Amino acid sequence: MDAKTLAYINLNAILGSIPRLCEMVPEAKKLIEGKDVSIGFDVKDGPAATLVFKDGKCSFVEGVDNCDVKLPFSSPEKFNGLIDGTTTPIPSKGFTKIGFLLKNFTKLTDILTNYLQPEPSALKDPKFFETSTILMFHLIVEALAQIGNHDDIGKFSASYITDGAIKVAIGDGPAAAIDAKNHVLKAIHEDPGDNYTSCMEFKDIRVARDLFDGNINAVASIGQGKVRIRGMISQVDNVNRILDRVALYLT
């Protein structure tokens, strides 16, 4: 597992899930009401992005040029330590707004953890189950793109993906896409409609969850009709090869 790739996943996929969390979970949305602050994460030799909290909403933007609070990290390993709880960052600017970072933002990440690493009992609640699975769906799509762009094995598979959009969808839930251009992958977190060259669709949200949790086999699910693929099969095949790497980074 490559530390730099993990840093891209941790920033773009894990912390990048916070805007969607604030949209879907009332408890999270309440924490950002009336707040006007942005937190930038600047990783040396790695990713840089900013979470912007304004007008009761949260957005995720590349770069740290306009952030209020800036958290610099000397290496991808140091940033990864923030996510696993072994590193305590020191802001290089924005000390007057550090209260939001220590209180509200910490609570947001705790809520996110509860949804991404839920207790089995929590998943018995239908609403929690749906929200958790949708958050995980988008996280996996983003992680797939990051692995295809930064992980050596992922990049090898991406080198065989022809240009075009690979749609990923849940039959009774959300849809997204992996846009491939010159073997560089970009996660598109909205339904591409009919504008795709290949598609992988999970029958329903339960099947998607079982696949995410490793409870059922993907190849067997295709044979059983639980996962449907169409279009340019070589695209889906190579995306699935990268998908095999996702579990390595997210466990």
Side-chain angles (χ1 to χ4, degrees), residues 216-231:
I216 59 176
N217 179 271
V219 175
S221 296
I222 293 172
Q224 296 165 355
K226 293 180 180 180
V227 178
R228 296 184 287 270
I229 58 175
R230 55 185 181 272

Side-chain angles (χ1 to χ4, degrees), residues 18-19 22 32 35-41 49-63 66-68 100:
I18 290 179
C22 292
I32 67 172
K35 305 300 180 183
D36 185 357
V37 60
S38 56
I39 303 174
F41 303 86
T50 300
L51 281 167
V52 181
F53 302 91
K54 190 173 183 179
D55 299 328
K57 296 181 180 180
C58 176
S59 59
F60 184 85
V61 297
E62 292 186 4
N66 299 312
C67 63
D68 299 317
F100 178 86

